[in-house]
Amino acid sequence: MKKMSLKMIASISVLVALTVVLKTLSFMIGDQMRISFYAIPLLIVGIMGGFVPGIIASIAADMIYGFFFNPFGFNPIYTISALLWGVVGGILKVYSKKHNRLPWLFLTGVILISSLLETSNNALWDFVLYDKGTTLVLFGYKLIAIAIKLPIIVLLIKLLNDRVLKLIFKQEA
């Protein structure tokens, strides 16, 4: 991995802070359905910097949120979900550089699969660690939340990648 510029480190730091804010300020629909857009800054870190910065940012954001803002405390098992988004951002970077574009269908598929993996991972650990009956009911709510947030995440990542991040890459090249 080549050295990161100060601009890249500062950008990643801001995106980690934004991740924590978005995770803290997630939307609640009713008592059970939580919709959070914290994946967007982690995807952007991965697209900007690749796998390693994406993983580091994911761990940092999840630890900061867990230790300081999560009412249930930090649990490293759930960090796997955050790690997923940083890794997926790295995958999107590799694909985008190789093919010089990021098609809608590919982006939608990757984010849908990642969302399902994240939700399944969290539901599995909820099932193992907590109330099993409630976990199955909440899984249905989480699938509805994916359907609501998927188009928003795909649209924002596509627009940011096509308009903003390509300009950053051109300036640094």
Side-chain angles (χ1 to χ4, degrees), residues 3-15 48:
K3 282 181 140 181
M4 280 198 285
S5 67
L6 186 59
K7 179 180 174 181
M8 180 71 81
I9 293 170
S11 299
I12 290 171
S13 300
V14 168
L15 290 167
M48 282 175 30

Side-chain angles (χ1 to χ4, degrees), residues 123-173:
L124 171 70
W125 288 111
D126 288 346
F127 187 80
V128 169
L129 297 173
Y130 305 113
D131 183 23
K132 291 159 183 35
T134 306
T135 300
L136 295 176
V137 172
L138 292 179
F139 189 72
Y141 287 116
K142 290 178 181 188
L143 292 177
I144 294 169
I146 289 173
I148 293 169
K149 67 183 182 179
L150 179 71
I152 297 167
I153 293 173
V154 170
L155 178 66
L156 286 174
I157 293 299
K158 178 69 172 158
L159 291 174
L160 286 168
N161 183 66
D162 290 352
R163 304 230 169 117
V164 178
L165 296 176
K166 287 197 178 196
L167 291 173
I168 293 171
F169 289 139
K170 284 180 184 177
Q171 289 174 354
E172 289 185 357

Side-chain angles (χ1 to χ4, degrees), residues 42-55 83-97:
L42 294 177
L43 285 166
I44 294 169
V45 169
I47 292 170
M48 282 175 30
F51 293 104
V52 174
I55 289 170
L83 281 172
L84 177 69
W85 292 114
V87 169
V88 168
I91 291 169
L92 294 175
K93 177 181 181 168
V94 169
Y95 185 91
S96 181
K97 282 200 171 209

Side-chain angles (χ1 to χ4, degrees), residues 10-55:
S11 299
I12 290 171
S13 300
V14 168
L15 290 167
V16 166
L18 182 59
T19 300
V20 174
V21 169
L22 289 175
K23 210 166 186 180
T24 304
L25 299 177
S26 49
F27 302 99
M28 291 298 293
I29 299 176
D31 292 338
Q32 305 297 331
M33 192 173 4
R34 180 182 130 183
I35 298 178
S36 177
F37 295 100
Y38 80 93
I40 295 169
L42 294 177
L43 285 166
I44 294 169
V45 169
I47 292 170
M48 282 175 30
F51 293 104
V52 174
I55 289 170

